[in-house]
Amino acid sequence: MIDAFFKLKEHGTNIKTEVLAGITTFLAMAYILVVNPAVLSAAGVPFEQVFMATVIAAVTGTLFMALFANHPIAIAPGMGLNAYFTSVVASTGLSYQTVLGTVFFAGVLFLLLSLTKLREALIRAIPDSLKFGITAGIGLFIAFLGLKMSGIVVANPNNLVTFGDLHRSVTLLTIFGVFVTLILMARRVTGALFIGMALTALLGYFTGQLKVTNFLSTPPAPVFFDLDLSGVFSQGLYTTVFAFLLVTLFDTTGTLIGVAEQTGAMKNGELPRAKSALLADATATTIGSMFGTSPTTAFIESTTGVAAGGRTGLTSFIVGILFLLSIFFSPLVGSISSLPAITAPALIIVGCFMMEGLARIQWKSFDEAFPAFAILLMMPLTASIATGIAIGFITYPVMKLVSGKGREVHPLLYVFGAIFIIQLTFFPAH
């Protein structure tokens, strides 16, 4: 029955291989159970609420992917998007409930786009240089966040930032975590990020920095619909909604294509059951916002399961079940999240992963290069993903126009450019 449902023989795999692949993928991305609550709790969202929302969103999206799209791809709240969520709350002074409202609307729009051909039109309209620039800019942003929260980089009135104090125990522990994880990754150890966090936590425990009282407990009660939808309109947070939507759309699409190419599922440049795959993420984002987390995305760590032989939705089904079982470990996750040195290395190293697309930007074509550079520059320096996206969407059509290449620009980009000029002029805080 399992073989027939997931078409295991057709994909040249078996139950044992798929189960092992699922475990591999889960170990590679389990860090999100710790990092996501740590990041979002800084925005005021209660830790246990974020933890349960992270699990619910991951289980929803990953099981949807398994049962309806039959791809070995896992879904969970995305890195970068959680940091952006926190930065919006910090920079605007708005409640986290209002910002959760923007995530909800972004999820609903993503659902609608996934059911129409407008999704393809939007993806085709935005040039690769902007797509890669956005992803890399988010990578720099979250890496900087990891450096800052660990004390490796600290504020300096003369130089803006400077190197931190190596006498601080949390900074030394973070540096240990970075290097031990890098060694594991260089040795191609499966689940290197997760194992690196575990070893760092172990050292933190023996040095007295990590206090653990309980490992297991009854799952916390989930909090439902703790969001403010009316505040999205009263505060004019339309650009924030668009930023969440845009990044989620491109991040998920890029990951889906990348993983599908590894499994050999891509046929003539098309992804089979693409609509169901995108609906998995859109559904998870919408439901996740109702329980208290930032947008979800397809995880590039799914490639570790593919490398272990995963080829069908049975791999992602196993991942979903393992996420479900993790609800019994919230006290341990809470203790780990309270020590920045454990989560910061993951932020720094995942930021590096997101630089890959920079190699595919046409740096010798200045009208392609500068908008991407502007995004890279603005995201970490303004601590705003939305501002970085806005600058990119404004400079790209302008550069093309003055270069005599205005006809190469899709009309949608001119529309977005005009919208972002208005947004930055009249709603700069958002």
Side-chain angles (χ1 to χ4, degrees), residues 138-314:
I138 293 171
L140 285 178
F141 180 49
I142 65 173
F144 181 73
L145 179 66
L147 293 170
K148 182 181 176 183
M149 65 190 283
S150 63
I152 294 177
V153 167
V154 295
N156 183 293
N158 298 320
N159 303 316
L160 298 182
V161 294
T162 190
F163 194 64
D165 182 2
L166 291 183
H167 291 93
R168 292 186 64 211
S169 56
V170 67
T171 304
L172 287 173
L173 186 59
T174 301
I175 293 173
F176 167 82
V178 170
F179 277 98
V180 75
T181 306
L182 289 175
I183 291 168
L184 290 169
M185 297 192 72
R187 301 296 301 172
R188 299 182 183 276
V189 175
T190 299
L193 277 173
F194 180 78
I195 296 171
M197 289 178 67
L199 292 174
T200 306
L202 198 61
L203 180 59
Y205 179 76
F206 285 118
T207 56
Q209 298 180 64
L210 176 62
K211 307 271 191 294
V212 179
T213 53
N214 291 307
F215 285 85
L216 295 168
S217 75
T218 303
V223 178
F224 183 68
F225 224 75
D226 181 27
L227 41 78
D228 179 11
L229 299 182
S230 62
V232 177
F233 298 100
S234 63
Q235 298 294 329
L237 296 172
Y238 309 114
T239 303
T240 303
V241 173
F242 181 71
F244 278 132
L245 172 64
L246 197 64
V247 176
T248 306
L249 180 63
F250 293 141
D251 195 19
T252 296
T253 304
T255 301
L256 287 174
I257 293 172
V259 177
E261 285 177 344
Q262 281 196 304
T263 63
M266 294 293 288
K267 306 295 181 185
N268 300 317
E270 295 292 330
L271 174 66
R273 303 172 299 282
K275 181 179 289 187
S276 296
L278 285 166
L279 280 171
D281 187 23
T283 303
T285 292
T286 307
I287 291 177
S289 69
M290 296 180 188
F291 286 92
T293 186
S294 49
T296 62
T297 185
F299 262 58
I300 195 63
E301 285 82 357
S302 301
T303 55
T304 60
V306 172
R311 293 294 181 271
T312 73
L314 182 54

Side-chain angles (χ1 to χ4, degrees), residues 368-388:
E368 292 284 339
F370 185 81
F373 169 73
I375 294 172
L376 284 171
L377 195 65
M378 296 303 291
M379 280 190 184
L381 292 183
T382 63
S384 172
I385 291 175
T387 299

Side-chain angles (χ1 to χ4, degrees), residues 60-74:
T60 299
T62 304
L63 292 185
F64 194 113
M65 182 72 74
L67 301 175
F68 298 101
N70 198 25
H71 289 301
I73 300 170

